[in-house]
């Protein structure tokens, strides 16, 4: 067991160590990170890079009174280890375990829930301003990476902080990496900054020398500062931050605990906003993670000795099928372009970029810009595919509305990670995209039943003359054969997977296969089940929905999405557009009005009752309830919930009796 880490149960314990012991503590923390993340998976590279920085912060400041606001929060594991969560660290990102991001509910040292980047400065300046308004006394520090600093929101926070001149600190953790190599002017800007403290030291020594000159020293020092400004303007572009109203300090060696502690102690009581530029190395201390920082940003379980991932045999994942489909289509059509917001590998756009570098754009962590960039490109006749996770597209909602849909611009939104994502948890679930897109004029929205249909939908979306969005889940597909040629689907048309008379299961996207599996079980019980692949939620195949609503006793909608405003809502709306001689019995299955936390997808789906057993139970119970309300022959089912065939096994064919009025209202959901 470790010599130092084992004694640390709070930041106070960090302070009790001698400075010369801190490098050993850092080494022990790196061991703990490797030992845990090799089992649980997680953001290894980012956390290995902030070990000394986090130690220094807790050594100098008084958390939780002093507030650390981590941007994205994927690099907060060291913070968790030092704030009383060491014993639970092995539960990282596991079901019912520690979150992979900071969470207020988890610990008093976590002041801001995160997961989406760019929010830390806005939160920090607000916390600092609240402190001042309430005449309280504590330090506030935002810790933001160079990748997250490319988020527009980060600039909004910087801009306002510079205006307010609030006493706070922004620690810019610059490892020259986003998930992949960082991109954009800011990245170039930062990498120009001279490393090491040489420049800072020289400036301080000159200043002291000049001020020591009696009489004229002050004036010369003033002019030297002017000279310094000029030099900075040329060589040290920390100038950008100073022009925004920040005191710029750095760059500081982010792996030198002494230097970091000295730096934070020297700025701790400074007035106004200070930006400390820290230079770190992503993956520090684990060579493969240093050498391939993009690969090791989000590590799946691995063997520490060999640095190899424990690969689980599985079907091709949706992302790789998407990437290949993009490549195949782009070979035929040079107007197709791929756009990602700092997620080239996660979306598969990096694979597309290897084939078509000049038609591939990584805009940084800037989803809003990505959407507008796509829209304007489309107006010039290009066919942009904006590959943005369902959850991250939330960041660009008004751009989708205002800059694409209202102008009816043909942009394709390829929303990977739709549905339950698993270990990333609440902030990353793809559970809201149907609802947030379904209200938008001109938007066509679809979801494939498998990876083969996704290819057809991608082509359909690309050649649709207006905005189109397709959603598909994280991880492996069904392993179905891929049709050699992609075809365009008829927009707004669903697919009858199997016919049936008693109950219709109308499923959306990757819930079609689970619906088929439940249907097979119900058929074993003598229930005749129709299974519909809706394919489109907008425009919905209303004719198909109504046909089965009338021809069966009841209908169940299935989606891996919030039930509120999702696919089921669209079906309900369609069923009640026109008066009907009967009430429709419809059960909408999806995710209820709740926050869906982190954990293995199978466990999360089990809890949400959208796994096989949950679906089977819910649908069976619903069907029995319907039979009790309006007992009809159908397959000879009696109202008492027992299912038996008439003596000759024929299905009595009885018209659906009208529901009693008092049940009408209860028969809808
Ligand atoms: C709004 C948003 N878009 C995309 C992501 C995906 N993402 C997570 S971390 C990351 C890069 C972070 O880079 P940086 O801030 O430099 O941190 P590092 O991992 O290098 O320490 C990205 C793009 C996100 N979390 N939030
Ligand atoms: C922290 C962050 O937002 C990303 O690293 C995210 O965790 C990637 O998710 P995937 O692993 O699904 O690509
Ligand atoms: Mg970085």
């Amino acid at each position: 067991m470790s010599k130092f880490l084992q004694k640390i149960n709070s930041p106070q314990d960090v302070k009790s160590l001698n400075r010369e012991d801190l490098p050993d503590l850092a080494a022990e923390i790196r061991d703990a990170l490797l030992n845990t993340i090799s089992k649980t998976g997680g953001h290894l590279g980012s956390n290995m890079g902030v070990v000394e920085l986090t130690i220094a912060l807790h050594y100098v400041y008084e958390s939780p009174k002093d507030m650390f606001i981590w941007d994205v929060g994927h690099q907060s594991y060291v913070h968790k280890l030092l704030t009383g969560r060491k014993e639970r660290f092995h539960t990282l990102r596991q079901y019912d375990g520690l979150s992979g991001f900071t969470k207020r509910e988890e610990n008093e040292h976590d002041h801001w829930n995160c997961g989406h980047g760019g929010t830390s400065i806005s939160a920090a300046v607000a916390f600092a301003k609240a402190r001042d308004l309430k005449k309280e006394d504590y330090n506030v520090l935002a810790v933001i990476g160079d990748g997250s600093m490319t988020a527009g929101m980060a600039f909004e926070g910087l801009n306002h902080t510079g205006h307010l001149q609030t006493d706070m600190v922004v620690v810019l953790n610059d490892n020259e990496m986003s998930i992949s190599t960082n991109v954009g002017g800011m990245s170039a800007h930062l990498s120009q900054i001279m490393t090491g403290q040489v420049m800072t030291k020289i400036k301080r020594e000159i200043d002291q020398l000049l001020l020591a000159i009696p009489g004229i020293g002050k004036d010369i020092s003033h002019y030297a500062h002017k000279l310094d400004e000029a030099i900075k303007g040329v060589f040290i572009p920390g100038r950008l931050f100073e022009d925004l109203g920040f005191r710029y300090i750095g760059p500081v060696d982010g792996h030198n605990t002494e230097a970091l502690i000295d730096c934070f102690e020297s700025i701790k009581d400074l007035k106004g906003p200070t930006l400390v530029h820290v230079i770190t190395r992503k993956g520090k201390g684990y060579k493969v993670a240093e050498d391939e920082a993009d690969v090791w940003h989000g590590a799946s379980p691995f063997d520490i000795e060999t640095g190899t991932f424990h690969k689980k045999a599985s079907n091709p994942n949706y992302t790789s099928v998407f990437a290949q489909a993009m490549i195949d289509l782009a070979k035929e059509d040079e107007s197709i372009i791929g756009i990602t917001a700092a997620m080239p590998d996660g979306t598969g756009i990096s694979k597309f970029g290897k084939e078509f570098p000049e038609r591939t754009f990584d805009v940084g962590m800037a989803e809003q810009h990505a959407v507008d960039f796509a829209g304007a490109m489309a107006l010039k006749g290009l066919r942009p595919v904006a590959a943005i996770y369902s959850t991250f597209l939330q960041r660009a909602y008004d751009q989708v509305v205002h800059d694409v849909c209202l102008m009816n611009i043909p942009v394709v939104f390829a929303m990977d990670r739709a549905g339950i994502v698993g270990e990333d948890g609440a902030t990353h679930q793809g559970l809201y995209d149907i609802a947030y897109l379904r209200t938008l004029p001109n938007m066509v929205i679809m979801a494939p039943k498998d990876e083969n249909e996704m290819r057809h939908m991608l082509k359909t979306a690309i050649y649709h003359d207006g905005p189109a969005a397709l959603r598909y889940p994280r991880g492996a597909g069904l392993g179905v054969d891929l049709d050699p040629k992609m075809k365009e689907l008829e927009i707004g048309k669903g697919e009858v997977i199997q016919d049936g008379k008693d109950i219709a299961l109308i499923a959306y996207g990757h819930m079609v296969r689970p619906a088929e599996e439940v249907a097979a079980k119900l058929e074993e019980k003598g229930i005749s089940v129709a299974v519909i692949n809706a394919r489109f939620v907008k425009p919905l195949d209303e004719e198909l929905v109504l046909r089965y609503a009338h021809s069966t006793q009841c209908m169940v909608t299935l989606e891996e999405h919030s039930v509120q405003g999702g696919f089921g809502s669209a079906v309900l709306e369609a069923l009640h557009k026109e008066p009907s001689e009967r009430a429709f019995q419809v059960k909408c299955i999806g995710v209820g009005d709740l926050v869906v936390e982190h954990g293995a997808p199978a466990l999360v789906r089990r809890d949400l009752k959208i796994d096989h057993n949950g679906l089977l139970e819910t649908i069976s119970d619903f069907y029995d309830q319907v039979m009790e309300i309006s007992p009809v022959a159908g397959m000879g089912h009696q109202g008492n919930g027992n299912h038996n065939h008439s003596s000759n096994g024929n299905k009595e064919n009885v018209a659906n009796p009208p529901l009693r009025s008092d049940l009408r209202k209860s028969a809808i959901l």
Side-chain angles (χ1 to χ4, degrees), residues 109-159:
H109 294 269
D110 294 1
H111 301 283
W112 185 245
N113 291 13
C114 44
H116 286 194
T119 67
S120 63
I121 299 170
S122 300
V125 70
F127 286 131
K129 200 64 201 166
R131 168 202 63 204
D132 299 345
L133 290 172
K134 297 176 73 176
K135 299 186 177 16
E136 292 169 346
D137 177 26
Y138 50 82
N139 292 289
V140 182
L141 300 90
V143 183
I144 183 169
D146 56 306
S148 303
M149 190 61 97
T150 61
M153 211 184 144
F155 277 90
E156 292 167 16
L158 287 175
N159 182 50

Side-chain angles (χ1 to χ4, degrees), residues 46 74 115-117 145-148 175 177-178 282 343 367 392:
S46 312
H74 65 310
H116 286 194
D146 56 306
S148 303
N175 52 25
M177 287 295 289
S178 182
K282 201 159 182 173
M343 303 294 288
E367 290 81 5
F392 297 140

Side-chain angles (χ1 to χ4, degrees), residues 142-299:
V143 183
I144 183 169
D146 56 306
S148 303
M149 190 61 97
T150 61
M153 211 184 144
F155 277 90
E156 292 167 16
L158 287 175
N159 182 50
H160 191 212
T161 303
H163 168 71
L164 291 176
Q165 283 300 297
T166 316
D167 302 351
M168 62 175 269
V169 175
V170 172
V171 179
L172 173 56
N173 170 36
D174 182 6
N175 52 25
E176 295 188 276
M177 287 295 289
S178 182
I179 290 182
S180 308
T181 310
N182 200 5
V183 296
M186 165 54 83
S187 169
H189 184 101
L190 295 175
S191 57
Q192 279 170 15
I193 291 178
M194 298 157 85
T195 55
Q197 295 163 308
V198 171
M199 200 60 195
T200 314
K201 200 156 170 287
I202 292 171
K203 289 191 305 172
R204 198 179 297 138
E205 282 163 4
I206 291 173
D207 217 23
Q208 279 150 8
L209 277 173
L210 292 173
L211 286 171
I213 302 169
I216 58 165
K218 233 181 163 102
D219 294 341
I220 296 180
S221 164
H222 171 69
Y223 289 112
H225 273 291
K226 285 279 164 240
L227 178 65
D228 171 21
E229 292 298 295
I231 291 170
K232 257 193 230 171
V234 176
F235 296 113
I236 300 187
R239 183 64 187 267
L240 168 77
F241 301 109
E242 295 198 335
D243 288 351
L244 285 172
F246 281 76
R247 175 185 302 104
Y248 171 82
I249 304 282
V252 184
D253 176 355
H255 298 300
N256 181 328
T257 320
E258 286 282 342
L260 287 163
I261 291 172
D262 289 345
C263 171
F264 289 124
E265 281 182 344
S266 68
I267 67 164
K268 196 173 171 188
D269 302 319
L270 291 180
K271 292 298 172 204
T274 302
L275 184 130
V276 179
H277 183 190
V278 175
I279 307 289
T280 63
R281 185 163 173 76
K282 201 159 182 173
K284 178 80 175 176
Y286 189 55
K287 187 157 181 356
V288 283
E290 290 188 36
D291 296 344
E292 296 178 287
D294 52 346
V295 172
W296 289 83
H297 166 87

Side-chain angles (χ1 to χ4, degrees), residues 71-90:
D71 204 282
V72 179
H74 65 310
Q75 79 292 58
S76 64
Y77 302 0
V78 183
H79 167 73
K80 294 189 180 218
L81 279 169
L82 300 180
T83 52
R85 288 171 269 188
K86 171 169 89 260
E87 274 63 39
R88 292 199 68 220
F89 194 59
H90 66 282

